[in-house]
């Protein structure tokens, strides 16, 4: 090999060896079992919570079931799943390309000149047969360098008597490279789309966590809505039982003549009114249960949909009531909310786009180089006698290639300098506007989170105060009913006051249940606002993403 050939060969070899692994991702690693499946499986893990034909679940159980089976959560997860393959697709420009070509052609043309070497008869024809085989390899590297190498061999046969190689084999070995020197030069300019795509994937995962945070909080509200509806129904049924007992006493008193006939209607109408409330409460409970079933995926299968629900959580707070410091809650929220993480990735992508747009404003200057060598082989004839001088073929042409005896090489610099680069200017302007928009979005998201934390902390403080007031109101309502019942038994008052005290006790009981549920929701609201609601379920969220 001569000196220029050695230099170009070493340059191409060093480029290939120094280039890092092109993609840490692969199609097989990114493709999950769920994505491959063309069918949706049955709801999972419900069998773990079924006992005696009843679905017994705590709040934590309900959240785990929802994360595993909720359709809305799964739809949101596919958005992040799709972004993985968008990232994989951005590696396409670095994918090596192997190409193989095989062709054959035959031509026959009438003779028109003695120089064709086919004689002078009217039927003389120049016949030729050409067979081509070619293999090429090309690749673009992260530095922007594009190389390609081609080895080809052509076998040609003819009936011309002027060819002293017949058939002859013409083999060519060729190397080319193109290296941008300004625009699209260097690792950053070529890897920027990958950097942006990877950050976009991280942004989509952070957005998914934010959506899961909202979904969990929605489920918490639905869970306690069922608990409250069931408690309300129990209170209304107990109130109905008290009204029926009062009606039976009044009915007995009427039969004994101790009660005026018109007074019976008061207790009778109270029974009817409370019976109506019990019916309404029963259907309110059914509606709340159906919403919870939908969220946890219990209605995806007929066997699980038919199960009765038994929610094991009690609304009464256990132990000391929670207390949250506003400053600490804000610190946790600003450091743990995935929405802020997503806006951070968006701003980082904006900076990358701006830097890339500046690169595209540079002149397009590129260095191009090539090196090739040729080998010739075949059967050689003496043109005077027509005798075979030597035999040769494909391998003899390849032997000449390996010796680099007939080289060709060159290099060139190409400069493309647009007078107005409006496309690149527009891209830069768009990137700057996008950064400005995302800065406002980040500020707005921060403001919303601060407001959510403030509201959640105040809601918790209010819930603690109303909880204490509700307990006091219920205790006083119990004592009032006992007093009115005693007065009625002594004949000091009519049953109107007893029925009124019963209604007030039922109302106090409902209000106490409401304050208990409000306290539980307020605690979850603080966790949701600070991002702590996600903490116990990060492992399961990762399993969903895989």
């Amino acid at each position: 090999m001569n000196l220029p050939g050695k230099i170009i060969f070493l340059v191409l070899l060093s480029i290939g060896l120094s280039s890092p692994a092109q993609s840490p991702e692969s199609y097989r690693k990114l493709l999950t079992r769920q994505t491959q499946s063309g069918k949706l499986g049955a709801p999972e893990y419900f069998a773990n919570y079924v006992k005696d034909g009843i679905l017994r679940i705590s709040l934590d159980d309900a959240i785990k079931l929802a994360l595993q089976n909720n359709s809305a959560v799964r739809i949101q997860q596919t958005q992040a799943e799709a972004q993985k393959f968008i990232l994989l697709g951005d590696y396409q420009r670095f994918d090596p390309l192997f190409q193989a070509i095989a062709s054959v052609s035959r031509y026959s043309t009438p003779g028109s000149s003695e120089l064709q070497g086919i004689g002078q008869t009217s039927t003389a024809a120049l016949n030729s047969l050409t067979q081509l085989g070619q293999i090429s390899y090309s690749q673009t590297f992260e530095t922007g360098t594009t190389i390609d190498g081609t080895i080809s061999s052509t076998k040609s046969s003819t009936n011309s008597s002027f060819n002293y190689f017949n058939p002859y084999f013409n083999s060519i070995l060729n190397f080319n490279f193109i290296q941008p020197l300004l625009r699209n030069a260097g690792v950053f300019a070529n890897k920027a789309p990958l950097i942006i795509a990877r950050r976009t994937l991280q942004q989509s995962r952070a957005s998914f966590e934010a959506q899961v945070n909202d979904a969990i909080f929605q489920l918490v509200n639905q869970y306690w809505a069922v608990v409250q509806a069931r408690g309300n129904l129990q209170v209304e049924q107990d109130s109905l039982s008290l009204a029926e007992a009062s009606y039976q006493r009044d009915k007995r008193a009427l039969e004994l003549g101790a009660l005026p006939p018109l007074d019976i209607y008061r207790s009778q109408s109270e029974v009817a009114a409370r019976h109506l409330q019990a019916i309404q409460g029963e259907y309110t409970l059914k509606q709340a249960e159906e919403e919870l079933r939908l969220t946890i995926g219990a209605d995806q299968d007929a066997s699980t949909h038919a199960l009765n629900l038994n929610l094991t959580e009690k609304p009464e707070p256990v132990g000391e009531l929670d207390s949250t410091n506003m400053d600490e809650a804000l610190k946790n929220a600003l450091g743990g909310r995935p929405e802020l993480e997503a806006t951070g990735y968006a701003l980082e992508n904006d900076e990358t786009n701006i830097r890339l747009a500046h690169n595209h404003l540079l002149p397009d200057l590129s260095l191009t180089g090539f090196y090739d060598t040729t080998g010739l082989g075949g059967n050689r004839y003496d043109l005077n006698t027509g005798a075979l001088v030597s035999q040769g073929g494909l391998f003899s042409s390849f032997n000449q290639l390996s010796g680099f005896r007939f080289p060709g090489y060159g290099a060139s610099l190409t400069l493309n300098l647009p007078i107005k680069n409006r496309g690149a200017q527009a891209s830069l302007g768009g990137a700057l506007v996008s950064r400005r928009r995302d800065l406002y979005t980040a500020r707005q998201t921060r403001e919303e989170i601060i407001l959510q934390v403030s509201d959640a902390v105040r809601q918790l403080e209010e819930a603690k105060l109303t909880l204490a007031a509700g307990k006091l109101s219920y205790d006083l309502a119990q004592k009032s009913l006992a007093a009115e019942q005693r007065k009625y038994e002594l004949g000091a008052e009519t049953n109107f006051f007893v029925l009124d005290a019963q209604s007030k006790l039922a109302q106090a009981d409902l209000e106490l249940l409401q304050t208990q549920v409000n306290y539980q929701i307020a605690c979850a609201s603080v966790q949701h606002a600070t991002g702590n609601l996600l903490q116990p379920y990060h492992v399961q969220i990762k399993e969903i993403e895989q």
Side-chain angles (χ1 to χ4, degrees), residues 18-39:
S18 63
S19 178
Q22 299 295 320
S23 172
E25 293 87 2
S26 68
Y27 177 75
R28 293 187 179 276
K29 290 181 180 179
L30 296 179
L31 192 64
T32 62
R33 177 175 54 85
Q34 292 84 355
T35 303
Q36 286 180 296
S37 176
K39 297 180 179 180

Side-chain angles (χ1 to χ4, degrees), residues 41-294:
E44 297 181 304
Y45 305 119
F46 279 97
N48 299 338
Y49 307 107
V50 177
K51 185 177 182 181
D52 299 329
I54 299 176
L55 183 60
R56 305 175 187 273
I57 53 174
S58 64
L59 178 58
D60 183 68
D61 298 333
I63 292 174
K64 291 179 179 179
L65 288 172
L67 291 178
Q68 192 65 38
N69 301 303
N70 184 265
S71 298
V73 171
R74 288 295 182 171
I75 291 174
Q76 293 162 354
Q77 183 267 334
T78 58
Q79 298 175 1
E81 189 79 10
Q83 191 61 43
K84 295 192 299 186
F85 294 97
I86 294 176
L87 169 61
L88 182 64
D90 284 332
Y91 280 97
Q92 181 180 2
R93 66 190 306 260
F94 299 116
D95 290 341
L97 176 63
F98 175 83
Q99 186 181 57
I101 299 176
S103 65
V104 59
S105 60
R106 180 186 293 273
Y107 294 97
S108 179
T109 58
S112 59
S113 171
E114 292 184 3
L115 298 178
Q116 290 177 312
I118 56 175
Q120 302 180 15
T121 64
S122 59
T123 60
L126 178 64
N127 298 320
S128 63
L129 173 65
T130 303
Q131 296 168 295
L132 170 67
Q134 176 178 298
I135 296 174
S136 61
Y137 175 91
S138 61
Q139 185 172 3
T140 299
F141 295 95
E142 294 174 353
T143 56
T145 308
T146 299
I147 65 168
D148 66 80
T150 302
I151 182 170
S152 64
S153 183
T154 303
K155 177 184 177 182
S156 297
S157 302
T158 181
N159 62 344
S160 175
S161 60
F162 291 155
N163 284 16
Y164 57 85
F165 276 104
N166 194 15
Y168 73 86
F169 292 83
N170 183 25
S171 299
I172 300 175
L173 179 62
N174 174 266
F175 296 101
N176 296 282
F177 77 91
I178 300 175
Q179 175 61 58
L181 300 178
L182 293 176
R183 186 192 303 175
N184 296 324
V187 174
F188 168 76
N190 291 277
K191 291 191 67 176
L194 297 176
I195 296 171
I196 293 171
R198 185 169 284 110
R199 285 205 198 105
T200 303
L201 172 59
Q202 294 170 325
Q203 180 183 359
S204 66
R205 286 172 173 168
S207 299
F208 173 61
E209 288 193 8
Q211 292 167 340
V212 171
N213 189 29
D214 294 338
I216 292 176
F217 185 58
Q218 178 186 3
L219 174 64
V220 170
N221 281 271
Q222 291 177 339
Y223 186 96
W224 288 116
V226 174
V227 172
Q228 182 177 355
R230 184 161 294 172
N232 289 346
L233 178 60
Q234 184 63 49
V235 170
E236 289 158 354
Q237 289 175 342
D238 293 342
S239 179
L240 175 60
S241 299
L242 291 176
E244 288 176 342
S246 296
Y247 171 69
Q248 293 299 327
R249 287 195 300 270
D250 289 350
K251 184 178 180 181
R252 181 60 178 166
L254 178 63
E255 292 173 352
L256 296 176
L259 184 71
L262 296 180
D263 288 351
I264 192 66
Y265 295 118
R266 181 178 292 114
S267 59
Q268 194 173 14
S269 64
E270 194 67 26
V271 170
R274 296 182 189 182
H275 182 63
L276 174 62
Q277 293 175 349
I279 293 174
Q280 293 172 338
E282 183 176 354
Y283 280 91
T284 300
L285 173 61
K286 290 182 178 180
Q287 181 179 0
E289 287 183 339
E290 287 302 316
E291 292 178 357
L292 181 61
R293 289 177 190 275
L294 173 65

Side-chain angles (χ1 to χ4, degrees), residues 513-535:
L513 178 60
Q514 180 70 63
T515 60
Q516 293 171 342
V517 170
N518 286 346
Y519 171 77
Q520 299 292 350
I521 293 177
C523 292
S525 180
V526 172
Q527 292 180 315
H528 172 261
T530 57
N532 293 332
L533 196 60
L534 285 170
Q535 296 300 325

